């Protein structure tokens, strides 16, 4: 028999229902439902300021943003990336006709190991696509130096890293471009949505056209692009969630601190916080030798957890047998990691229930 109310692994933050209704009411008047409407334009400016980035473009979702960004960069040949990520990162590379070359991750924060990048660079390498996984910032300084030395582009998958800052700078201001996801399951969402942040006005200009069928003006279509625009209903949700996001992040911080206190020494957790980083507490992953048993025991108590990320993208069915790249750290983490429940409405009592269940399952 299962015990207790369900603790989901993730629960989307929502504004008040009436607030959303008020926000979308004008759309019944204007009938301007998509194509860079009022909400879209307002959200673009507000997010650019909040995220502390130069240029920001909105998209229908994070995946299309990343896929089109790689296209806009005009990359060729090989792209160095991480297998410890969501399918989207690797798919975006492959769907651009590029070859992913998988670099191993660091043992402490699971981001790309910069010391292993240079050995993977060949004359065909055109870019590096690291992931700020779980919202943990990559070693942006070292990666930037390597890219400069070898004349490579750096495009960050910052899907997890909304609001993260390093040295007071928005995480999206590092590298040539960064992709944010505003999917319903992320720290900040617009139901579905995404963005590219970039310093390069030429890339921003190209992306403006690429996300809208490559249309320059009424008579000139000079790029082969799909439809990847954000609509007004999603932008409305984005505007309302932006008002509350700092409060949401503060709630997640309290959850994270409680987990840290209760689980320290019992399972491996993310490294101690650095003082020069503003975190967003997107996920709380643990690494343990008893992963599958733990998941089963938590399931019995109605506590939902996720093997996030398992399998590695390079081992997914669609890529099976294609990549021989050795990434032993990623292999190990992927087969021992569990993402614990964390969401804005989670209470300290919920956290304590999860921690009790974990200690019980591990016989501590
Ligand atoms: C969510 C996510 C994406 C894709 O974003 P969508 O907005 O869902 O398309 C890409 N990469 C990572 C690491 C993600 O977690």
């Amino acid at each position: 028999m299962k015990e207790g109310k369900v603790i989901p692994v993730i629960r989307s933050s929502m504004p008040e229902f009436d607030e959303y209704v008020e926000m979308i009411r004008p759309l019944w008047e204007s009938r301007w439902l998509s194509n860079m409407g009022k909400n879209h334009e307002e959200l673009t400016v507000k997010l650019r300021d909040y995220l502390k980035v130069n240029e920001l473009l909105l998209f229908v979702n994070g995946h299309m943003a990343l896929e089109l960004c790689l296209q806009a960069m005009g990359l060729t040949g090989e792209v160095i990336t991480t297998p410890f990520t969501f399918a989207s990162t690797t798919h975006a590379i492959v769907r651009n006709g590029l070859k992913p070359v998988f670099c191993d991750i660091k043992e402490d924060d699971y981001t790309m190991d910069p010391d292993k990048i240079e050995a993977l660079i060949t004359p065909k390498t055109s870019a590096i696509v690291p992931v700020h996984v779980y919202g943990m910032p990559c070693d942006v300084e070292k990666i930037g130096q390597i890219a400069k030395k070898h004349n490579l582009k750096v495009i960050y998958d910052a899907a997890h890293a909304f609001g993260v800052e390093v040295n007071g700078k928005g995480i999206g201001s590092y590298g040539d471009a960064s992709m944010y996801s505003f999917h319903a399951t992320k720290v900040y969402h617009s139901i579905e949505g995404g963005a590219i942040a970039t310093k390069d006005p030429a890339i921003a200009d190209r992306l403006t056209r690429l996300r809208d069928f490559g249309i320059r003006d009424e008579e000139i279509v000079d790029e082969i692009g799909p439809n990847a625009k954000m609509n007004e209903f999603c932008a409305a949700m984005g505007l309302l969630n932006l008002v509350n996001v700092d409060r949401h992040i503060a709630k997640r911080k309290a959850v994270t601190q409680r987990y840290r206190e209760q689980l320290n020494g019992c399972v491996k957790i993310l490294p101690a916080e650095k003082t020069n980083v503003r975190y967003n507490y997107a996920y709380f992953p643990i690494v343990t030798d008893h992963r599958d048993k733990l998941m089963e025991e938590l399931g019995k108590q109605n506590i939902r957890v996720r093997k996030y990320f398992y399998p590695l993208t390079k081992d997914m069915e669609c890529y099976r047998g294609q990549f021989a790249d050795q990434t032993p750290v990623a292999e190990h983490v992927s087969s021992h990691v569990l993402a614990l429940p964390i969401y804005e409405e989670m209470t300290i009592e919920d956290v304590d229930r999860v921690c009790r269940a974990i200690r019980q399952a591990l016989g501590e």
Side-chain angles (χ1 to χ4, degrees):
M1 230 198 44
K2 298 206 174 184
E3 296 161 40
K5 75 169 167 65
V6 172
I7 299 185
V9 64
I10 274 164
R11 190 169 151 88
S12 300
S13 300
M14 295 292 257
E16 293 300 323
F17 178 72
D18 293 342
E19 279 183 314
Y20 187 68
V21 171
E22 281 315 306
M23 198 74 191
I24 61 175
R25 194 182 296 282
L27 300 174
W28 266 256
E29 275 298 311
S30 70
R31 300 294 158 113
W32 191 339
L33 308 185
S34 191
N35 289 50
M36 289 54 94
K38 188 168 165 285
N39 292 339
H40 179 282
E41 299 303 278
E42 192 179 331
L43 186 61
T44 301
V45 174
K46 287 195 166 155
L47 282 175
R48 190 189 61 202
D49 292 348
Y50 183 86
L51 296 170
K52 301 185 181 173
V53 294
N54 284 62
E55 306 239 17
L56 187 109
L57 283 106
L58 298 178
F59 289 83
V60 65
N61 57 50
H63 177 81
M64 285 309 294
L66 182 59
E67 208 175 293
L68 292 177
C69 185
L70 299 180
Q71 183 181 344
M73 294 271 172
L75 306 179
T76 56
E78 298 173 2
V79 172
I80 296 172
T81 187
T82 165
F84 190 66
T85 183
F86 187 53
S88 170
T89 322
T90 304
H91 287 356
I93 294 167
V94 173
R95 287 170 57 82
N96 268 288
L98 301 162
K99 182 180 171 206
V101 173
F102 295 99
C103 181
D104 210 352
I105 58 175
K106 291 193 282 172
E107 271 173 51
D108 58 348
D109 65 11
Y110 319 130
T111 62
M112 185 181 280
D113 187 344
D115 295 334
K116 295 185 181 157
I117 294 174
E118 282 193 290
L120 301 174
I121 296 174
T122 74
K124 290 186 187 154
T125 309
S126 62
I128 310 175
V129 177
V131 180
H132 301 302
V133 65
Y134 305 130
M136 302 300 283
C138 293
D139 193 334
V140 287
E141 304 291 348
K142 267 198 198 167
I143 291 172
Q145 282 160 14
I146 294 166
K148 198 170 168 198
K149 181 170 155 200
H150 297 273
N151 195 23
L152 305 174
K153 297 280 189 210
V154 182
I155 302 97
Y156 285 104
D157 178 333
H160 293 178
F162 187 90
V164 172
E165 294 176 14
V166 175
N167 300 324
K169 289 174 64 180
I171 193 74
S173 65
Y174 291 90
D176 294 280
S178 297
M179 174 276 280
Y180 291 97
S181 164
F182 309 145
H183 184 257
T185 54
K186 306 294 206 265
V187 169
Y188 165 84
H189 78 87
S190 61
I191 310 172
E192 292 266 7
I196 292 294
T198 180
K199 285 193 275 289
D200 186 342
I203 292 298
D205 177 59
R206 213 172 158 202
L207 280 171
T208 305
R209 284 174 281 130
L210 276 174
R211 73 178 170 188
D212 189 21
F213 305 102
I215 297 173
R216 185 181 285 275
D217 63 35
E218 274 182 20
E219 297 190 357
I220 300 173
V221 179
D222 56 4
E223 296 270 11
I224 306 170
N227 177 0
K229 306 183 299 288
M230 181 185 283
N231 70 59
E232 287 295 280
F233 291 78
C234 288
M237 181 63 89
L239 282 168
L240 290 176
N241 280 335
L242 188 58
V243 174
N244 298 318
V245 71
D246 284 339
R247 194 165 47 79
H248 295 167
I249 291 175
K251 298 272 287 285
R252 287 170 170 276
K253 180 174 182 175
V255 167
T256 300
Q257 281 173 342
R258 189 73 172 185
Y259 269 137
R260 280 184 176 277
E261 286 161 25
Q262 305 260 323
L263 295 179
N264 203 4
C266 168
V267 290
K268 183 171 180 274
I269 59 178
L270 288 172
E273 292 186 16
K274 293 180 184 157
T275 50
N276 66 333
V277 177
R278 181 201 189 222
Y279 295 91
N280 68 356
Y281 310 97
Y283 298 89
F284 197 90
I286 60 169
V287 167
T288 164
D289 285 341
H290 312 285
R291 192 259 303 265
D292 292 357
K293 175 170 162 263
L294 186 56
M295 188 166 179
E296 196 186 311
E297 291 299 320
L298 293 175
K300 284 184 195 159
Q301 302 199 29
N302 265 335
I303 298 166
R304 306 273 152 80
V305 291
R306 247 181 101 187
K307 296 182 199 173
Y308 197 63
F309 295 101
Y310 174 86
L312 296 176
T313 62
K314 70 186 172 86
D315 296 329
M316 289 175 172
E317 269 78 4
C318 56
Y319 296 124
R320 197 150 279 169
Q322 289 186 42
F323 304 113
D325 310 25
Q326 296 298 306
T327 57
V329 178
E331 226 80 59
H332 182 268
V333 175
S334 175
S335 56
H336 293 78
V337 74
L338 268 189
L340 299 186
I342 185 165
Y343 45 93
E344 167 242 328
E345 289 172 304
M346 192 173 186
T347 64
I348 295 300
E349 291 71 41
D350 292 333
V351 181
D352 288 350
R353 202 178 120 206
V354 175
C355 295
R356 262 198 314 276
I358 290 173
R359 274 194 257 107
Q360 200 182 24
L362 296 178
E364 295 207 5

